[in-house]
Amino acid sequence: MHSLAFPYQQRHYHWLPIIPITLFGPTGPLQTEAYLDSGALMSIFDHTLADALGIPLAHARTQRFIVGDGRFIHGRIVTLPLQIGPRRFRAPIAFSSELKVGFNLLGRRGLFEQFDEIVFQEKRRQVVL
């Protein structure tokens, strides 16, 4: 398997490992981006993306998550296909209306085990999967 390298993106004067991804739902694929967060166990996305994908959340499992500033937020978890570069797989994603960090978060569960390595190259401002 070939490595995938993604350049960091600049947001609010910081270079961040925000990568393009595609989510798949009943209404089809949706391209978006997310912050690759090695400190997050679960991926958490803005709830409006679930609506855009046609994913009903009413019966999805609800869970509380602690975020970086110590707050708890609620999310509804669904497992769905996603794609990073040419690599497509299924992973659990929580959708939340309380995520207020300014970007979606890609956490470890269901994602990190898809790759042999995930290397954050700070000096080069890129992440390699």
Side-chain angles (χ1 to χ4, degrees):
M1 168 72 53
H2 296 288
S3 296
L4 303 170
F6 297 98
Y8 282 15
Q9 295 185 29
Q10 190 172 18
R11 300 284 170 91
H12 307 288
Y13 308 105
H14 299 282
W15 290 96
L16 303 173
I18 296 175
I19 65 172
I21 66 165
T22 302
L23 302 173
F24 296 87
T27 60
L30 176 71
Q31 294 182 340
T32 188
E33 57 189 20
Y35 180 93
L36 190 58
D37 188 351
S38 63
L41 181 61
M42 179 68 71
S43 297
I44 306 176
F45 285 66
D46 186 86
H47 75 286
T48 59
L49 294 178
D51 293 337
L53 288 162
I55 298 170
L57 295 177
H59 300 293
R61 182 170 58 95
T62 301
Q63 185 172 326
R64 284 181 5 149
F65 302 93
I66 190 165
V67 292
D69 65 3
R71 288 181 306 119
F72 283 95
I73 65 172
H74 294 87
R76 294 192 174 258
I77 302 170
V78 295
T79 298
L80 64 141
L82 62 97
Q83 186 169 337
I84 299 175
R87 192 87 180 251
R88 187 170 171 169
F89 52 92
R90 296 178 61 79
I93 295 179
F95 291 94
S96 177
S97 61
E98 300 171 19
L99 183 65
K100 304 293 183 196
V101 294
F103 38 74
N104 301 306
L105 299 175
L106 275 174
R108 297 189 328 263
R109 184 173 291 157
L111 170 73
F112 277 46
E113 62 265 18
Q114 300 296 322
F115 301 93
D116 289 334
E117 297 185 310
I118 298 179
V119 181
F120 295 88
Q121 298 177 337
E122 294 297 312
K123 192 171 186 178
R124 292 183 179 173
R125 295 183 180 153
Q126 72 176 5
V127 62
V128 179
L129 311 175

